[in-house]
């Protein structure tokens, strides 16, 4: 529901609170549990992942946002963990914007929220 504070995804400014994750690398993940979505976000440090997100405006319009992000370790270079949890696996689930051009390309059309 929220981005990791100070993580690469939140630092990128491309993902916002309230965005709805629709697709990870072409796999529909809408309303899928974290146990399904999590492994799709994991990957080798430096690899890329393509996300499709729905972003709603205050007026109720939906805009599909397409983002290519590069996986990286959190700031500081060590996997994130929460108190009382096991250390994170060596693969990174934290993301930062890809260095490739056009890393965020919203679609031209918006539609009203159903």
């Amino acid at each position: 529901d929220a981005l990791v504070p100070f993580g690469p995804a939140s630092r990128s400014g491309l993902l916002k609170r309230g965005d709805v994750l629709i697709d990870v690398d072409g796999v529909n993940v809408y309303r899928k549990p974290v146990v399904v979505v999590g492994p799709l976000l994991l990957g080798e440090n430096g690899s890329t992942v393509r996300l499709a997100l729905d972003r709603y405006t205050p007026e109720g319009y939906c805009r599909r946002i397409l983002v290519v992000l590069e996986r990286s370790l959190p700031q500081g270079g060590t996997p994130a963990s929460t108190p009382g949890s096991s250390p994170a696996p060596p693969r990174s689930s934290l993301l930062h914007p890809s260095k490739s051009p056009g890393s965020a390309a919203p679609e031209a059309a918006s539609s009203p929220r159903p």
Side-chain angles (χ1 to χ4, degrees):
D1 194 292
L3 298 173
V4 174
F6 307 108
S10 65
R11 289 192 322 262
S12 78
L14 297 174
L15 306 175
K16 308 281 185 204
R17 184 178 197 81
D19 284 350
V20 178
L21 185 60
I22 302 297
D23 179 296
V24 176
D25 284 334
V27 177
N28 184 323
V29 296
Y30 181 67
R31 292 189 165 185
K32 301 285 191 226
V34 172
V35 296
V36 172
V37 178
L40 297 172
L41 295 172
L42 289 172
E44 295 301 316
N45 190 29
S47 64
T48 59
V49 63
R50 295 178 191 279
L51 307 177
L53 310 149
D54 279 351
R55 183 171 293 163
Y56 291 91
T57 68
E59 297 80 23
Y61 287 90
C62 176
R63 184 172 213 174
R64 179 69 42 98
I65 307 293
L66 305 174
V67 182
V68 177
L69 298 173
E70 184 178 307
R71 294 174 177 99
S72 71
L73 294 174
Q75 203 168 31
T78 57
S81 62
T82 55
S85 70
S86 302
R91 297 175 354 143
S92 176
S93 62
L94 301 174
L95 309 169
H96 70 79
S98 173
K99 296 176 188 102
S100 62
S103 59
E107 286 186 359
S110 293
S111 58
R113 187 178 213 170

